[in-house]
């Protein structure tokens, strides 16, 4: 995919879509910074798997909801690789509940990580990307930001914000050869969806045209494409990867 010598930072890369994206970027030739917030052991396993495949990676701790952590992570990538070419904003959490039961703490936690975290990392990464006149940003949004998702008011609001932020930053940064795109996964087989009850899983499967949940690797391949030279003329777009859930 032409990513040799490119340096990437993937947030929330210790599991799920982030892990799959880190592995896929490494297979495509990129050097990868594997971000984690609390699960260092899982992040180290991702780094080891990349190394075993002949790639280069290192683990970097940081809470994306904290601007100082985001800035430090970018500095560590620059210190290790001398540049930052690809940013994948994947870190996210869910605190689902109906509005009248949704606490202010749950609202703030999800918005701080899922939306402010994207802002923090983008703001830190934009400076070196502008300086080198090159960058590829891929934000992991969700179909919940495009369609009604009862019980997820905070999550939906954050992911809709990510989509709007993607479009705005594509305009702001495009003149410096920096593309900013998003992917909007549907139900992907990750730790988050495995917590659903059997009844809920069955109900959701009936709404998906392909009648199955997606795999993290299927989202990761789209992320790699958007970071690759083949997608050099694509910016400000949201690619839906949901098996037909939203049609």
């Amino acid at each position: 995919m032409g990513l040799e010598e490119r340096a990437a930072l993937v947030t929330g890369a210790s599991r799920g879509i982030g892990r799959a994206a880190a592995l896929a970027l490494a297979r495509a030739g990129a050097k990868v910074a594997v971000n984690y917030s609390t699960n260092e052991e899982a992040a180290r396993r991702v780094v080891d798997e990349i190394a075993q495949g002949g790639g280069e990676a290192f683990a970097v701790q940081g809470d994306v909801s904290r601007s100082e952590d985001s800035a430090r992570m970018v500095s560590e990538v620059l210190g290790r690789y001398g540049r930052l070419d690809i940013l994948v904003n994947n870190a996210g959490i869910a605190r689902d509940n109906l509005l009248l039961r949704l606490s202010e703490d749950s609202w703030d936690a999800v918005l701080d990580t899922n939306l402010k975290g994207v802002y923090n990392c983008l703001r830190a990464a934009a400076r070196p990307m502008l300086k080198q006149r090159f960058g590829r940003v891929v934000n992991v949004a969700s179909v919940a930001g495009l369609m009604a998702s009862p019980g997820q008011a905070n999550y939906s609001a954050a992911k809709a914000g990510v989509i709007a932020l993607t479009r705005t930053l594509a305009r702001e940064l495009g003149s410096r050869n920096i593309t900013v795109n998003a992917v909007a996964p549907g139900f992907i087989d990750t730790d988050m969806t495995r917590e659903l009850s059997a009844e809920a899983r069955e109900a959701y499967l009936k709404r998906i045209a392909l009648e199955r949940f997606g795999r993290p690797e299927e989202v990761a391949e789209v992320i790699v494409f958007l970071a690759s030279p083949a997608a050099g003329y694509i910016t400000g777009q949201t690619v839906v990867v949901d098996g037909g859930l939203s049609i």
Side-chain angles (χ1 to χ4, degrees):
M1 297 297 288
L3 299 185
E4 293 79 8
E5 303 306 317
R6 297 299 187 192
L9 168 61
V10 183
T11 68
S14 64
R15 62 178 185 170
I17 292 171
R19 173 184 176 276
L23 293 172
L25 286 165
R27 285 194 300 271
K31 303 171 184 178
V32 184
V34 177
N35 162 251
Y36 68 96
S37 178
T38 58
N39 197 339
E40 181 179 4
E41 182 179 352
R44 297 288 182 191
R45 287 197 296 269
V46 177
V47 170
D48 290 344
E49 189 169 346
I50 289 172
Q52 289 166 10
E56 185 175 348
F58 75 101
V60 56
Q61 192 280 333
D63 180 348
V64 299
S65 71
R66 298 170 57 88
S67 60
E68 57 270 33
D69 280 19
S70 300
R72 175 180 49 78
M73 288 191 298
V74 169
S75 293
E76 289 192 32
V77 177
L78 295 174
R80 181 71 67 100
Y81 298 135
R83 58 188 297 117
L84 174 58
D85 303 290
I86 301 163
L87 171 65
V88 180
N89 283 306
N90 167 76
I93 61 172
R95 299 286 186 272
D96 296 350
N97 222 325
L98 297 173
L99 178 64
L100 295 182
R101 298 175 183 172
L102 184 63
S103 70
E104 185 175 349
D105 286 345
S106 293
W107 175 273
D108 288 345
V110 170
L111 269 291
D112 282 351
T113 298
N114 297 11
L115 181 55
K116 185 182 177 184
V118 176
Y119 156 79
N120 284 338
C121 291
L122 262 167
R123 194 163 185 266
R127 291 186 185 277
M129 288 183 176
L130 287 167
K131 186 177 180 179
Q132 66 197 25
R133 290 182 173 268
F134 179 87
R136 298 288 180 262
V137 178
V138 184
N139 299 321
V140 179
S142 169
V143 291
L146 297 168
M147 57 185 286
S149 187
Q152 289 192 308
N154 50 358
Y155 190 82
S156 295
K159 294 302 187 178
V162 168
I163 292 169
L165 183 62
T166 296
R167 294 169 63 87
T168 300
L169 269 295
R171 280 284 188 183
E172 288 190 15
L173 302 176
S175 65
R176 298 296 183 92
N177 194 30
I178 301 170
T179 65
V180 186
N181 291 291
V183 294
F187 286 99
I188 307 300
D189 189 15
T190 64
D191 292 346
M192 193 178 295
T193 56
R194 289 180 197 126
E195 294 175 359
L196 295 170
S197 66
E199 294 78 9
R201 289 178 67 91
E202 185 63 28
Y204 286 128
L205 284 170
K206 291 178 180 178
R207 296 172 56 188
I208 300 171
L210 295 182
E211 298 183 343
R212 67 175 177 85
F213 285 4
R215 294 180 291 107
E217 293 77 12
E218 292 175 305
V219 182
E221 291 302 325
V222 178
I223 292 172
V224 171
F225 167 71
L226 291 172
S228 75
Y233 200 56
I234 300 173
T235 195
Q237 304 305 306
T238 299
V239 182
V240 178
V241 187
D242 71 351
L245 172 67
S246 57
I247 58 177

